[in-house]
Amino acid sequence: MPADFGARRGALRELLAADGLDSMLITDLLNVRYLTGFTGSNAALLVSAADSAGDEDRTVICTDGRYVTQVAEQVPDLRAEIDRASAIHLLRSGVSGRGGRIGFESHVVTVDAHRAWSELDSAVELVRAPSVVESLRMVKDEFEVGLLRDACRAADDALARLIGGGGIRAGRTEREVARELESSMLDHGADAISFETIVAAGANSAVPHHRPTDAVLADGDFVKLDFGALVGGYHSDMTRTFVIGTPAQWQRDLYELVQRSQTAGREALAPGVTTASVDAASRSVIEDAGYGEYFLHGLGHGVGLEIHEAPGIAKTSTGTLLSGAAVTVEPGVYFSGRGGVRIEDTLVVRDGGPELLTLTSKELTSV
């Protein structure tokens, strides 16, 4: 099923009408991609609230001369104009002289750009409209979920090959494990990696976002892997923690605690549930065991065209989950200087229970 970019723009027009905006200038490239499919490195999109499905004469995309062929291929349903100063060109040609209330992405636009735009036409009222497209991106359509599944599958398959080939073993360095896992994701269909792979062994596993070093894996180490694959612009995110050799009792106990917390967080995901309550469901398991101070971060985040996007799932987060939201659930407990455990999945919120996209086992595994 192909992406329905026209439907996405239609949903945006409904928001513009509700906010009394005549049009909106989109300059964030990921939001341009979400609304049109265009993947070039320079573009702006002017969406007219007066247009409708099948009649988008006033909605225009603009890019520069490098992308004449690409924009024609990727965005055949909109008029394309060519100018390197894409945003200013659209404001001049599409709005100047007609006035109106024009929304802009104030969370990404610089002060200098806003000043330049404001000087173009006194009849134009530039209106702050932060994160409007991002609010639409929170709910994934089935095309997007399909890409997320593919990204998660590439990561699952790569990890299976790494484990099956003995890639996590004493004597290897964190960097060697990370590079092999990243290469394997590419071999299994990833376009790129989602972010710099985390491989953290021994005491380093207690650092939530440790960067791989030449530290050597040793018997008795926790080894934490946090990684993801990028497919069609969409990211996966998964963390698994292993033990090299036979786990000590404290490692079994810690792993079992984080596993119970992660299960509670996953089971709390449902449409209409507050994000703070999902965090609380998971965090309370760790707090009740007396280790709340060692859970150092929020429970999760949205994932899609960005590796971290709305909604956030944390103690202080606001809002409620919507059906179709893609999120992570990733509790962790970290004992500084000793070791830590994090378990993370990517899931889609659904009526009747979340859909799990990262399928690698979460049982404590010795390698």
Side-chain angles (χ1 to χ4, degrees), residues 120-160:
L120 291 176
D121 190 334
S122 60
V124 171
E125 179 186 358
L126 291 172
V127 180
R128 294 176 65 252
S131 302
V132 174
V133 179
E134 285 85 349
S135 70
L136 296 174
R137 282 171 45 192
M138 278 197 292
V139 175
K140 272 57 180 179
D141 58 36
E142 288 308 310
F143 175 81
E144 293 177 287
V145 173
L147 290 174
L148 287 168
R149 286 195 195 101
D150 291 342
C152 290
R153 185 181 305 113
D156 277 321
D157 291 347
L159 180 58

Side-chain angles (χ1 to χ4, degrees), residues 60 105 184 312:
V60 187
E105 296 178 300
S184 186

Side-chain angles (χ1 to χ4, degrees), residues 279-303:
D279 181 277
S282 181
R283 192 175 301 273
S284 63
V285 174
I286 294 171
E287 290 177 338
D288 291 348
Y291 295 107
E293 65 183 291
Y294 302 104
F295 185 174
L296 305 173
H297 50 74
L299 180 65
H301 55 85
V303 64

Side-chain angles (χ1 to χ4, degrees), residues 69 104 267 338:
T69 300
F104 71 97
E267 292 178 346
R338 193 177 188 190

Side-chain angles (χ1 to χ4, degrees), residues 3 49 96 99 147 164 181 187 217 230 243 260 286 305 364:
S96 185
L147 290 174
L181 181 55
D187 290 343
L217 281 60
L230 182 70
V243 176
R260 286 195 291 114
I286 294 171
L305 285 169
L364 178 58

Side-chain angles (χ1 to χ4, degrees), residues 105-339:
E105 296 178 300
S106 55
H107 59 302
V108 297
V109 172
T110 66
V111 173
D112 286 347
H114 180 261
R115 181 181 294 115
W117 298 352
S118 299
E119 294 171 352
L120 291 176
D121 190 334
S122 60
V124 171
E125 179 186 358
L126 291 172
V127 180
R128 294 176 65 252
S131 302
V132 174
V133 179
E134 285 85 349
S135 70
L136 296 174
R137 282 171 45 192
M138 278 197 292
V139 175
K140 272 57 180 179
D141 58 36
E142 288 308 310
F143 175 81
E144 293 177 287
V145 173
L147 290 174
L148 287 168
R149 286 195 195 101
D150 291 342
C152 290
R153 185 181 305 113
D156 277 321
D157 291 347
L159 180 58
R161 187 167 82 176
L162 180 72
I163 296 170
I168 308 174
R169 63 179 184 273
R172 301 197 82 192
T173 68
E174 293 172 339
R175 281 198 179 99
E176 287 171 340
V177 175
R179 298 296 86 80
E180 182 177 346
L181 181 55
E182 290 173 351
S183 177
S184 186
M185 283 190 281
L186 297 176
D187 290 343
H188 284 90
D191 300 323
I193 60 173
S194 288
F195 52 91
E196 184 181 9
T197 297
I198 295 171
V199 176
N204 291 337
S205 63
V207 181
H209 276 191
H210 172 74
R211 300 182 72 177
T213 68
D214 289 327
V216 177
L217 281 60
D219 286 335
D221 279 354
F222 270 136
V223 182
K224 182 182 68 193
L225 281 70
D226 187 346
F227 61 102
L230 182 70
V231 174
Y234 284 77
H235 300 74
S236 70
D237 198 356
M238 175 168 64
T239 305
R240 294 293 185 267
T241 305
F242 305 93
V243 176
I244 297 180
T246 303
Q249 190 58 50
W250 75 271
Q251 291 175 315
R252 293 183 185 276
D253 293 342
L254 179 58
Y255 192 95
E256 188 271 339
L257 174 63
V258 176
Q259 187 178 39
R260 286 195 291 114
S261 172
Q262 208 259 353
T263 298
R266 294 198 329 265
E267 292 178 346
L269 296 174
V273 172
T274 66
T275 52
S277 69
V278 176
D279 181 277
S282 181
R283 192 175 301 273
S284 63
V285 174
I286 294 171
E287 290 177 338
D288 291 348
Y291 295 107
E293 65 183 291
Y294 302 104
F295 185 174
L296 305 173
H297 50 74
L299 180 65
H301 55 85
V303 64
L305 285 169
E306 294 177 275
I307 188 60
H308 292 97
E309 59 182 46
I313 304 178
K315 278 184 178 181
T316 57
S317 61
T318 59
T320 59
L321 291 175
L322 300 173
S323 181
V327 298
T328 68
V329 174
E330 49 181 301
V333 175
Y334 311 94
F335 295 153
S336 180
R338 193 177 188 190

